[in-house]
Amino acid sequence: MSTKEKDDSLVVDNGSYQYHMLFDNHTRLIVTIFDEPFMMLKKIPNDTLTERNIPRGTILDPSRVEGFCVDLAYAVCHDRLKLPYKFLIETKYGKEVEKGVWDGMIGALVNREADLAIASLTINGEREKAVDFSKPFIDLGISIMISKPEKQKPGVFSFMDPLSKQIWMWVIVSYLFVSGILFLISRFSSYEWYFENEWDLIPRNKFSLHNALFFSFAAFMHQGVDLLPRSISGRVVTSAWWFFSLILVSSYTANLAAFLTVEKLVPPIATVEELAKQTDILYGTLKGGSTMAFFNKSTLTTFKIMWNFMQQHKDDVFVSSNSEGIEKVRGSKGKFAFLLESTLNEYVNERAPCDTMRIGENIDSKGYGIATPLGSDLREALNIAVLQLTENEFLERLKQRWYYERSQCTNSGSKDSKQTTPLNLANVAGMFYVLIIGLGSAMVIAFIEFLFKAKLDSKRLNQNIREVMRRNLRISITGIDFDEKLHKEEYLPLKQQQLVTSSPPSSRNIHRNERTPTIANKFNLTKINNDKDDIFRGHKLNHVFHV
């Protein structure tokens, strides 16, 4: 028979489910279990009631408890289903004792002692045969917990840490490739060839191979140089390289401060595969739990290896409770890893003394669901309610509230929780794409310039365009075609050089010493300048003429 205490919020249950419904014909009983942060007893001053001394079968008013599942029950039963409810406390999740006989929360539903179960109750195949589950209200999986390793101080070459080795390699390749493209374009473009003065026999090109390498390096280091390309194609290459350098250097600088000031945590293992391959670190699970059953039944090679390893060390790795496993991790100094559900792993990592951490991704995928007896009239309504709460992100806000807003490691662990990681190729792939597009565009423009120059030369010299292109290509590779230029009288530098060398020394001295030219000399200079303009058809700037 049920007895009601002086406090209306607490009822000790010794009777049947039918009696509870007589007690309040419209009240639904929600069976649950104390499990932080899902279901916790509210702390009231001068109250001697604790979670440990509350017996199984106790009925609690919602005002006496708090937690993730308490807020979820209020949102589902009160806000959407408009049902009054109370909580029925159980001490076990439930397993099949014998054929068709269950204990714990599953047993309460099978025996119709409760209307629904809202707790950290995992959905699995065996339980689905005994009760109905709603859609998962929280997703989880098996995860790995280890103790936090000691922090490592920055090393001598920590300045290279902001970028991964892959990016450093591609930056060097890009630097050499850009320098080579700039050198080739400057050779093919007629705008990069020039005569430094009127008497030069050989045209000059500033972008030799070593100058191209120096220019690219100086641009990457944001240093100014006297070398600047004149052709459109050369300027396109330079612009793309400047953009690439700006983004890369800015990203590197932004990440460098964090690497030099934050002491990094380097765990001994990073994935479940690494854990399975080594033997120095022991690992185990909760004895008789769903995690242990998962490894026992798994057919994957990695999990088989892990299960065999745990069987060999079963006296040291299997624990009787999650709290025992967590304490074992804290006292092992990195020599024990505990396999547990990710929800508990995340929550413990946010609680003092903040000395544990989660590594790797979840090993499997499952979820917590709201359970009801088979054929319950609440099943469809509960499914709709859970879907609506998922869509409006109410469940995500609940997790944020009970996991992270109440974190005890916010100040001490904020830096640890936000570990700086090197930028990889995926983070900065865009600037490489821009550089590749710029180099490709520059090569196309350089080819168009080459064709355009060949067409102009073929018209001016009245020659076949293929011959002109062949000659210009030879000139671009070797410099100047002397054999051809020596036979052309209108080639100004050779003509002037021949005039100077053929004149007697006395006349050359006279010309060198005279400051004021005569009328004849002025006429000759004017004629020479006119001839020069006809030949070069270019601009004269500071005594520098383009070919």
Side-chain angles (χ1 to χ4, degrees):
M1 181 176 179
S2 300
T3 59
K4 187 176 180 182
E5 305 291 341
K6 294 181 180 180
D7 186 357
D8 292 337
S9 63
L10 177 63
V11 176
V12 178
D13 173 44
N14 294 317
S16 64
Y17 168 73
Q18 287 78 9
Y19 180 82
H20 295 312
M21 298 309 295
L22 291 175
F23 170 73
D24 188 344
N25 193 36
H26 299 286
T27 300
R28 302 291 180 131
L29 283 182
I30 302 176
V31 63
T32 188
I33 188 172
F34 285 119
D35 181 22
E36 190 176 1
F38 294 96
M39 180 65 63
M40 299 174 290
L41 187 68
K42 276 186 180 180
K43 295 181 180 180
I44 301 176
N46 302 324
D47 188 4
T48 59
L49 195 65
T50 63
E51 295 177 3
R52 292 186 177 182
N53 60 25
I54 293 180
R56 170 186 175 275
T58 301
I59 297 177
L60 293 178
D61 189 81
S63 61
R64 295 299 306 273
V65 290
E66 62 180 355
F68 185 101
C69 289
V70 176
D71 292 346
L72 177 61
Y74 184 86
V76 172
C77 296
H78 182 273
D79 292 345
R80 281 168 170 74
L81 303 184
K82 309 299 181 183
L83 295 174
Y85 61 93
K86 292 184 183 296
F87 289 104
L88 174 64
I89 303 301
E90 262 291 349
T91 56
K92 297 180 180 179
Y93 288 96
K95 64 179 180 179
E96 193 173 15
V97 180
E98 56 184 67
K99 186 68 174 179
V101 179
W102 291 75
D103 61 3
M105 288 189 293
I106 301 297
L109 295 176
V110 171
N111 299 329
R112 303 285 174 168
E113 295 176 356
D115 295 282
L116 65 159
I118 300 180
S120 52
L121 186 62
T122 305
I123 303 173
N124 59 36
E126 293 182 358
R127 291 171 179 171
E128 279 275 13
K129 297 176 182 178
V131 296
D132 289 331
F133 278 99
S134 69
K135 299 293 183 182
F137 61 82
I138 189 170
D139 295 320
L140 65 144
I142 300 174
S143 61
I144 305 172
M145 174 188 286
I146 63 170
S147 60
K148 284 185 178 179
E150 295 182 358
K151 297 179 180 179
Q152 292 185 353
K153 295 183 178 180
V156 177
F157 294 98
S158 295
F159 67 90
M160 299 185 67
D161 292 340
L163 302 180
S164 64
K165 294 180 180 179
Q166 187 182 24
I167 290 186
W168 283 116
M169 180 189 69
W170 281 110
V171 167
I172 295 174
V173 172
S174 300
Y175 160 69
L176 297 176
F177 191 67
V178 168
S179 301
I181 292 293
L182 190 60
F183 168 73
L184 293 176
I185 285 178
S186 65
R187 303 290 294 185
F188 277 89
S189 178
S190 60
Y191 296 101
E192 299 295 346
W193 294 94
Y194 68 96
F195 291 104
E196 191 168 355
N197 54 62
E198 299 177 0
W199 314 109
D200 278 350
L201 294 176
I202 302 175
R204 301 174 184 270
N205 192 320
K206 287 186 177 181
F207 281 94
S208 59
L209 184 58
H210 62 276
N211 277 352
L213 290 169
F214 176 73
F215 173 80
S216 300
F217 184 76
F220 183 79
M221 301 301 293
H222 292 182
Q223 301 298 317
V225 290
D226 294 335
L227 300 173
L228 287 175
R230 299 177 180 179
S231 62
I232 297 177
S233 55
R235 292 179 179 181
V236 171
V237 172
T238 303
S239 300
W241 180 242
W242 283 347
F243 177 83
F244 174 88
S245 303
L246 175 65
I247 300 301
L248 182 65
V249 172
S250 300
S251 303
Y252 171 83
T253 305
N255 217 22
L256 178 63
F259 272 88
L260 295 182
T261 56
V262 176
E263 296 177 338
K264 297 186 297 182
L265 295 177
V266 182
I269 53 175
T271 62
V272 66
E273 289 78 10
E274 293 181 7
L275 182 64
K277 291 178 181 178
Q278 58 81 47
T279 57
D280 295 334
I281 301 176
L282 299 179
Y283 47 88
T285 67
L286 177 66
K287 187 183 299 183
S290 59
T291 302
M292 182 178 180
F294 169 81
F295 283 98
N296 186 18
K297 297 178 181 179
S298 178
T299 57
L300 296 178
T301 304
T302 300
F303 300 148
K304 280 185 175 180
I305 294 174
M306 296 178 68
W307 175 248
N308 293 333
F309 180 83
M310 287 187 281
Q311 286 294 310
Q312 295 173 6
H313 304 83
K314 58 183 178 180
D315 295 335
D316 299 324
V317 299
F318 293 121
V319 296
S320 58
S321 65
N322 285 326
S323 58
E324 181 184 346
I326 295 170
E327 291 301 322
K328 192 176 182 67
V329 169
R330 287 172 172 165
S332 66
K333 296 182 179 180
K335 295 300 181 180
F336 180 76
F338 188 43
L339 300 165
L340 72 167
E341 291 180 343
S342 58
T343 50
L344 180 59
N345 196 347
E346 294 174 17
Y347 183 75
V348 171
N349 294 338
E350 297 296 328
R351 314 305 292 175
C354 308
D355 56 354
T356 59
M357 65 181 296
R358 170 185 170 178
I359 59 170
E361 300 294 332
N362 290 343
I363 297 175
D364 67 343
S365 179
K366 49 192 174 184
Y368 292 153
I370 301 176
T372 57
L374 292 175
S376 172
D377 58 335
L378 296 176
R379 180 184 179 185
E380 185 176 352
L382 290 173
N383 271 328
I384 295 174
V386 171
L387 288 175
Q388 290 175 346
L389 294 176
T390 303
E391 290 174 356
N392 61 22
E393 298 182 351
F394 174 81
L395 297 177
E396 186 63 31
R397 292 195 298 271
L398 270 189
K399 184 176 181 180
Q400 186 70 24
R401 174 188 175 187
W402 290 104
Y403 273 72
Y404 304 108
E405 291 181 5
R406 300 171 68 250
S407 173
Q408 298 174 349
C409 305
T410 303
N411 296 327
S412 61
S414 58
K415 291 183 179 180
D416 298 335
S417 60
K418 298 180 180 179
Q419 286 293 305
T420 53
T421 55
L423 295 177
N424 53 40
L425 191 59
N427 300 128
V428 293
M431 65 182 188
F432 282 95
Y433 294 151
V434 172
L435 181 62
I436 293 172
I437 293 173
L439 295 179
S441 302
M443 295 178 68
V444 172
I445 294 173
F447 183 69
I448 294 174
E449 288 179 342
F450 181 79
L451 295 179
F452 182 72
K453 181 64 168 57
K455 184 177 181 180
L456 292 180
D457 288 347
S458 66
K459 289 182 178 180
R460 180 172 59 85
L461 301 176
N462 196 20
Q463 293 182 357
N464 185 278
I465 189 171
R466 292 185 178 180
E467 295 296 330
V468 174
M469 289 176 62
R470 190 179 297 111
R471 185 201 63 184
N472 289 352
L473 182 61
R474 184 169 59 250
I475 293 173
S476 298
I477 296 174
T478 61
I480 197 70
D481 192 349
F482 296 105
D483 295 336
E484 185 174 350
K485 293 298 183 182
L486 286 172
H487 294 86
K488 291 187 177 293
E489 296 180 357
E490 68 272 14
Y491 184 51
L492 177 64
L494 289 180
K495 182 177 180 181
Q496 295 296 327
Q497 186 68 18
Q498 291 171 359
L499 290 175
V500 173
T501 55
S502 61
S503 61
S506 59
S507 62
R508 276 181 283 174
N509 293 334
I510 293 173
H511 286 298
R512 187 181 297 111
N513 294 331
E514 286 181 350
R515 291 188 177 181
T516 306
T518 61
I519 296 176
N521 288 337
K522 288 183 178 180
F523 177 77
N524 291 334
L525 288 175
T526 303
K527 184 176 183 301
I528 291 172
N529 288 333
N530 292 335
D531 293 340
K532 180 173 60 183
D533 292 339
D534 292 338
I535 293 172
F536 291 99
R537 302 175 184 269
H539 301 286
K540 181 178 76 174
L541 295 174
N542 299 327
H543 302 289
V544 177
F545 301 91
H546 294 288
V547 177

